[in-house]
Amino acid sequence: MTDLTGIYVHIPFCRQKCFYCDFPSYAGLDSVFDDYAAALRREIDRRSGLLSSCRIDTIYFGGGTPTLLSSHAILSILETLQRRFTVLKDVEISIEANPGTIDKEKLRSLRSAGFNRISFGVQSFSDSVLQSAGRIHTAQQAVQSIREAQAAGFANVSVDLMYGLPGQTQKDVLFSFQQAIRLQISHISVYGLKVEEGTPLEAALHSGRAVLPDEDDELAMYELATRILPENGYFRYEISNYARLGSQSRHNLKYWRYLPYIGFGAAACSFFDNERLTNTPDVMDYIAMVRENRDPAAVRERIEAGTAMAEYAFLALRTVQGICFADFSDRFQVQFESHYAEQIDRLLHQQLICQYPGGIRLTPLGMKFGNLVFAAFLPKKDK
Ligand code: SF4
């Protein structure tokens, strides 16, 4: 196992569920925040012995809304990680935050404890769009939180923006990008809405209470991002991610480069030594299992070579570097070009990928229809 490893800490709490969300995050569990933080510290303490050879170069607190926890709770978890692992000096320490759940004081204490990257779930700078998505904040609160984070010393501020939301227009999307650019954000993630089964949004669409932009509009919104952001100094380093030079998310790059990471918390996933572990998603079960010294991993999956090669291929293709043949053969002792010759020919013919000396990457068309490309690499039995 590569000893440079990332750590992910999952905080599965939100003030209220957004209408489109099916992530493992829960509203109304404020009474268990302290127990959950204690369980996290205990899980870290317990598992760190087995993982003591790892050197940690990225730590990511994600959710949910990690900033719903008190500064004291967040810092106690970070301190446990720092005490239990060998954390490198230049470690990237990120936290996700939602505007309206963080103030100047919390920002300052996070920054002075070592957090050096903050990612705000802004989604839109239009109040009507935010309301129709069930977000808890206003556009003004988003602007204020970003400015306060910058004033607290966060040089690396990221925002998530969405397109295709109910009632959203191309003008709204353009305004959101312009606002992020004006605020001198260093990193912008852009996601298209996916309507998930069982969400309030799906019900609202079904009953006609909500209406989505049509396909042409949605495509135009996607294309706005691919044009406006690079024109303003944000290079697209992954299908959904744009950054100013040097501000790429080092932690998320680990996922796309198929590098090891350790996850702590309910629903958190770990990936190392060709194995994937996923903790139970149930918060109360997680707390009880850790308290009783039981293993909270609900799923343990050995990753076979064929699956690992396919996962590596479609994750690497998400990035602008794409697949480097030498890196692939170092890792799997298999020649990518011959193993996937048929897929490469077909995708080249469809102009979804292009070749560069020593590798392949997605074309702009491939970026748009990434799922078609990724499906081509799945092992046949999984198709
Ligand atoms: S803030 Fe994020 S995790 Fe929480 S409900 Fe909204 S989309 Fe889901």
Side-chain angles (χ1 to χ4, degrees):
M1 168 178 172
T2 313
D3 74 332
L4 278 182
T5 305
I7 286 181
Y8 176 79
V9 179
H10 190 58
I11 311 291
F13 307 117
C14 288
R15 187 166 287 159
Q16 85 181 19
K17 283 297 280 186
C18 302
F19 298 155
Y20 54 85
C21 178
D22 76 339
F23 298 151
S25 70
Y26 310 92
L29 288 184
D30 305 29
S31 60
V32 304
F33 285 4
D34 287 345
D35 289 344
Y36 187 78
L40 273 171
R41 291 191 297 266
R42 203 178 169 108
E43 191 196 2
I44 295 164
D45 274 340
R46 227 189 40 220
R47 287 177 67 200
S48 57
L50 292 171
L51 302 162
S52 56
S53 62
C54 304
R55 289 184 307 142
I56 306 303
D57 61 345
T58 66
I59 298 176
Y60 193 103
F61 281 57
T65 308
T67 46
L68 274 185
L69 294 191
S70 65
S71 299
H72 175 74
I74 298 169
L75 300 194
S76 70
I77 299 161
L78 180 61
E79 188 273 327
T80 310
L81 290 171
Q82 286 166 327
R83 189 161 36 81
R84 287 298 191 176
F85 286 93
T86 305
V87 177
L88 299 193
K89 263 211 174 97
D90 72 338
V91 60
E92 175 191 86
I93 311 182
S94 307
I95 188 162
E96 290 179 353
N98 276 314
T101 63
I102 193 154
D103 57 17
K104 286 183 196 167
E105 202 186 321
K106 196 179 266 186
L107 283 162
R108 274 198 292 261
S109 65
L110 295 178
R111 183 66 195 98
S112 51
F115 284 90
N116 48 24
R117 182 175 185 277
I118 189 161
S119 174
F120 286 106
V122 171
Q123 317 312 351
S124 168
F125 284 100
S126 151
D127 283 336
S128 61
V129 173
L130 289 170
Q131 265 175 23
S132 67
R135 300 293 304 190
I136 56 168
H137 64 273
T138 62
Q140 181 47 39
Q141 281 175 313
V143 171
Q144 187 178 332
S145 292
I146 290 164
R147 289 207 171 116
E148 288 177 352
Q150 291 167 330
F154 281 95
N156 196 350
V157 175
S158 175
V159 295
D160 289 355
L161 295 175
M162 291 179 74
Y163 63 91
L165 289 164
Q168 197 177 29
T169 63
Q170 291 182 43
K171 213 168 136 197
D172 291 325
V173 173
L174 177 62
F175 177 71
S176 290
F177 291 147
Q178 287 170 332
Q179 190 68 321
I181 294 162
R182 263 195 293 273
L183 286 162
Q184 302 192 342
I185 298 296
S186 48
H187 183 282
I188 304 176
S189 302
V190 182
Y191 302 109
L193 173 74
K194 284 200 186 77
V195 181
E196 304 290 353
E197 251 178 67
T199 55
L201 176 65
E202 188 205 31
L205 291 170
H206 195 67
S207 66
R209 282 177 289 119
V211 179
L212 296 181
D214 66 28
E215 257 181 46
D216 289 347
D217 257 348
E218 199 189 330
L219 189 61
M221 292 171 184
Y222 165 89
E223 278 171 353
L224 257 178
T226 64
R227 183 169 55 79
I228 298 280
L229 297 179
E231 276 173 14
N232 285 277
Y234 297 87
F235 78 98
R236 190 181 191 183
Y237 70 102
E238 191 267 348
I239 286 187
S240 307
N241 286 281
Y242 299 79
R244 291 202 187 276
L245 218 55
S247 297
Q248 301 99 305
S249 164
R250 283 166 48 197
H251 184 81
N252 289 337
L253 276 166
K254 282 190 187 292
Y255 300 140
W256 303 315
R257 292 184 178 149
Y258 214 50
L259 294 172
Y261 53 87
I262 308 162
F264 295 106
C269 188
S270 303
F271 169 64
F272 54 87
D273 284 349
N274 298 321
E275 198 173 48
R276 190 172 286 123
L277 309 182
T278 310
N279 280 352
T280 174
D282 185 299
V283 173
M284 303 315 289
D285 280 355
Y286 170 77
I287 293 172
M289 289 167 100
V290 176
R291 191 181 278 152
E292 292 157 15
N293 278 329
R294 286 188 286 140
D295 183 353
V299 182
R300 237 170 230 278
E301 181 198 356
R302 193 90 211 143
I303 306 168
E304 298 309 326
T307 306
M309 288 192 289
E311 288 181 350
Y312 175 99
F314 61 71
L315 286 168
L317 278 171
R318 294 188 62 92
T319 66
V320 281
Q321 282 83 16
I323 293 167
C324 163
F325 297 152
D327 189 48
F328 186 92
S329 66
D330 273 359
R331 193 151 176 157
F332 298 106
Q333 283 74 55
V334 170
Q335 257 209 331
F336 187 86
E337 314 87 294
S338 40
H339 192 76
Y340 290 112
E342 183 205 319
Q343 288 92 329
I344 294 174
D345 274 356
R346 179 156 40 89
L347 295 167
L348 280 172
H349 181 71
Q350 293 170 324
Q351 299 181 355
L352 292 167
I353 59 169
C354 58
Q355 274 179 309
Y356 66 88
I360 53 164
R361 62 166 75 100
L362 294 181
T363 60
L365 187 69
M367 289 246 174
K368 208 184 287 182
F369 300 107
N371 287 342
L372 291 180
V373 182
F374 308 147
F377 292 99
L378 288 177
K380 285 207 166 50
K381 63 181 167 64
D382 292 340
K383 275 187 186 173

